[in-house]
Amino acid sequence: ADGAPGSLLATAGAMRAAGLLLAWALLHPAASQQCHPSSPGGVLRFTDRHAEIQVPALHRVPSSLDPLYGLVRRCLDLIQQNPLPTGEPRAGTRDPSSPVPQVLQYELGYVVCAAVALLFTVAVPVAGMCFCYCRSRRRCGGRLRAHRRSVGCRRRCLLACLSFTSLIILISVTCAFVTSQRVKGQMEPGLRAVPSTLRTLRQHLANVPQGVQMVVDKFEVPRKQIISDLGGKHGAGQHPELALGLDGVLTVPRCLAGLSRSVGLSIHAQLKAMTYAALADLQDRAGDLQTSLHHLQIVHRTARALAVARAELEPALRERRRRVVALLDDPRCTSCASGLGRAQGLELGADYGKVPSVEKVLKALAGLPRSDFAEMIRQGNGTFNSIPELAVERMARVTQDLQGDLARTAEKVQSIADGFPLPDYTRPVSEALVKAEQQSQPYLREVQRFERYRWIAGTVLCSIILLILLCNVTGMALGVYGLSKREDPSDYECQGEVGAKFLLVGVGLAFLFSWLLILLVFATFLVGGNIQTLVCRNWVNQEIYKFIDTPGNLPPSMNLTRQLNLRRDSNLSSTYRECKSGAGLWEVLQLDRSYDLDENLKTPKYMADFQKRLGDFTANLGDVRLLLSEGRQDLETFARSGVDEVDYGRFQEEMKNPVVQTSLPSLARNLEGLQKMQRNSTVAGRLAAEAQALWHMQNSTVQSQEALVAKLGKSVQFLSHLAPHLKERVKRTLATTASVEARLPVQAQQILRQELGCFTRKELRYFAQYLNWVGQTLREDVASCQPLATALDNGQVILCDRIADPWNAFWFSLGCCTFFLIPNIIFAIRLTKHFRPIRNRLM
């Protein structure tokens, strides 16, 4: 305690820092704090819930036969140049007889082709019969009548032409074989894909309620997040960082362990500057009281001790002055006159009996401090630091109630799945798909059966064509070989004759099966050509959807708009485009006209109770007593004690005077010097004795009084610095402490309201994210319409790219074979004459 005046500057600096901190805290109220910025975890992540039943998209596969396919399509475009009729049917079309001319006019290209095929079917067999009749009369296919120089040239020309037509027929029949096998390979999986796709679409629609339920079940994501924010992960134990006192720096991190602890820590963090500043100020005033009382006691005791010591020193000093003056005035003392003046100045200096008494002040402070300020500050600090734990305790009930509100919210969210109307709209579509699947089975089986017949007929006829080519090649080879062996053109040679007969066999086979070939070509051409020009060509440019949408083009039983349960102002074209772009059945069917999804996904409908409970909650979390009544009375008594009324200047003026006016050590050393100068031993001895007596007085009495004066000076200095500001500081401390005690509950309540408001907005954002995701998912993903568009596109790929293209290439290739049989027959008949002997040889 004796060192307290030495720490005066440090204490004053701490007081100024505490005052500035307190002023900042009072000028920046806690209620002005803003919500903490959202962390990266503030965005919820939901699993994308797309339609589980997907229709795999098919694509056209590039092929080496693509040039052939393109050639066939261009030929069909020339044959059928009329666009698909998509306008309103004329009134005359209601007459049952009127559609026939219209169809004939539309199918004019096919009618012309049918006429050509009919002509071919009749003309070629008739020509064959005529040829047979001529052969029986030895008129056709006989021998040359005369040998001319141009015979060899004509023979080579006929050989080249027959070889060329045979080569074209070979290439065409090869393409016919390949495309026939490709049709056979694609037909079976293509036919299986029809019921499979219908079944997949039906399963997709059947899974809509399950998908809606899965979306609703995702409420677990925001529910777990809100419960995590409510409950927290840490227990209610004391945080070690809250155990620091006023001498340490209390750093409380923003804790995300739970709502209650977060609220408590926020209150603590925002009010700690103000509270700790008030406690520091109070601690300084308590220190001032203790230190002032200590120094007043020192001043009182030291002044009395100095007065008593002065009274004791006065007779001894008077006697000593008399003896020294008498000795120095002795005539026997040599050169002693110089020290006589200093000896005569041996008188007492400072008189501490004249200084003001502090006994009245000590009586006023008697018994102080009656309260333990250190314990009081420790308790206030502990109570304030326990606010987070108090918040956990006070908010335990409301946390449980909020969890119950979340459970009831989950039941309300379930009503979204229960009231979702999409299954009522998809049920007719599912029934139409079931009906289409059942009705398509017999037709698909018939198609498969006819395809098998087509493949058999095509394979047989292609084999016959190959046989005809074999006859041609064999005939030409034997004929040429016979000609090379023949020395005279009129000589008979068996190889040439056999070659001519092979060519005639080929001609006979051509006449015999040409009508079957043209019938197969026309039948496959009629089917494949109409599929390409009526369906595929218009499917690619989507004109077929316009045709279906036009009333009257299809029978009422095939009204797809009604069977697919589309809205009245919609059509298949717009539905396809919407589905293709990724729209959901919700948008396609415009269910928002009958079910307001946005209204059913408003946050207040589900979180009103949760929000109201947080809004109505109140708790007293700032009731902290920093200064008890006993401590307040002690400080008030300290301020009224009169410490500031004592005249400390009188003490300081008196302390400027020495204890003895003449310095005893200086006088003693002067006497010791005079002793050495004396010749009279008696005088010298007396001088030495007087010097020794002065040294003894200095060491035994004067030095102790000087030490008391120094001690008194330190206490007086401390009190003189404290006294002018004592009342002001005590008054400010009492006012600040009272203000902080009054403000703590108010500001704690404001921070509580602010934190609960921030928490409410944060949790409502979580729930709003969920509801927005629900709305988007129900509209776009759960009831996706894209599988329908994909199924239609797959149908176009299967029917047109994988079946119709090779089918049309098959009849085109077979048709080329058939029509090139005509020049083949002509060249073969003409060439047979050159392989036989010449009747008349002309030189």
Side-chain angles (χ1 to χ4, degrees), residues 149-166 476 480 483 823-824 826-828 830-831 834-835:
R149 290 189 178 93
S150 61
V151 169
C153 181
R154 288 201 303 270
R155 184 190 304 125
R156 287 190 294 271
C157 182
L158 289 173
L159 278 170
C161 291
L162 183 59
S163 300
F164 179 72
T165 55
S166 298
M476 285 189 293
V480 172
L483 290 175
N824 183 83
I826 297 172
F827 295 142
R830 298 289 300 272
L831 190 58
H834 293 273
F835 292 157

Side-chain angles (χ1 to χ4, degrees), residues 25 138 293 383 412 454 459 563 609 616:
R138 297 182 181 272
L293 183 60
T383 302
K412 294 179 181 179
R454 181 212 61 82
T459 303
Q563 291 183 3
D609 295 340
D616 295 343

Side-chain angles (χ1 to χ4, degrees), residues 336-530:
C336 292
S338 59
L340 183 61
R342 301 181 66 182
Q344 291 175 347
L346 277 177
E347 296 178 355
L348 289 175
D351 185 3
Y352 289 96
K354 299 178 181 179
V355 297
S357 175
V358 295
E359 186 175 1
K360 180 181 178 183
V361 178
L362 287 174
K363 288 182 179 179
L365 296 177
L368 295 184
R370 288 185 292 271
S371 57
D372 188 349
F373 280 95
E375 178 64 19
M376 188 188 310
I377 293 173
R378 189 189 65 80
Q379 289 181 358
N381 187 37
T383 302
F384 177 73
N385 287 339
S386 65
I387 285 179
E389 313 306 327
L390 181 63
V392 172
E393 178 183 348
R394 299 278 175 86
M395 298 184 68
R397 178 63 181 274
V398 72
T399 301
Q400 294 178 357
D401 293 341
L402 290 172
Q403 292 178 355
D405 291 338
L406 282 178
R408 288 185 291 274
T409 300
E411 298 175 359
K412 294 179 181 179
V413 170
Q414 180 60 37
S415 64
I416 299 176
D418 299 337
F420 198 63
L422 192 56
D424 298 335
Y425 288 85
T426 58
R427 193 176 300 110
V429 182
S430 299
E431 295 173 355
L433 292 175
V434 172
K435 184 178 179 181
E437 182 181 354
Q438 293 174 350
Q439 292 180 352
S440 64
Q441 293 293 341
Y443 296 103
L444 296 177
R445 285 193 294 268
E446 289 298 317
V447 170
Q448 191 169 7
R449 184 167 63 89
F450 285 117
E451 163 57 20
R452 186 166 59 253
Y453 294 157
R454 181 212 61 82
W455 179 79
I456 294 173
T459 303
V460 171
L461 293 176
C462 288
S463 301
I464 292 174
I465 293 174
L466 288 176
L467 184 58
I468 295 173
L469 292 176
L470 181 61
C471 292
N472 288 348
V473 174
T474 305
M476 285 189 293
L478 291 175
V480 172
Y481 179 74
L483 290 175
S484 65
K485 293 294 184 180
R486 187 184 301 170
E487 296 180 357
D488 191 325
S490 61
D491 292 342
Y492 178 82
E493 201 276 322
C494 63
Q495 286 88 352
E497 185 68 26
V498 172
K501 289 182 178 180
F502 265 107
L503 289 176
L504 291 177
V505 170
V507 170
L509 291 174
F511 278 128
L512 184 62
F513 291 100
S514 61
W515 67 278
L516 292 175
L517 284 170
I518 198 64
L519 287 179
L520 179 61
V521 169
F522 180 74
T524 53
F525 159 73
L526 188 63
V527 174
N530 278 288

Side-chain angles (χ1 to χ4, degrees), residues 551-568:
N553 284 341
L554 294 178
S557 60
M558 298 180 64
N559 189 333
L560 295 181
T561 301
R562 185 176 67 250
Q563 291 183 3
L564 295 178
N565 204 16
L566 301 178
R567 58 184 186 271
R568 292 184 177 181

Side-chain angles (χ1 to χ4, degrees), residues 202-222:
R202 187 158 44 86
Q203 292 175 359
H204 171 68
L205 295 177
N207 281 351
V208 169
Q210 179 184 356
V212 174
Q213 185 60 47
M214 290 181 65
V215 171
V216 170
D217 290 342
K218 288 298 179 180
F219 176 67
E220 193 69 11
V221 175

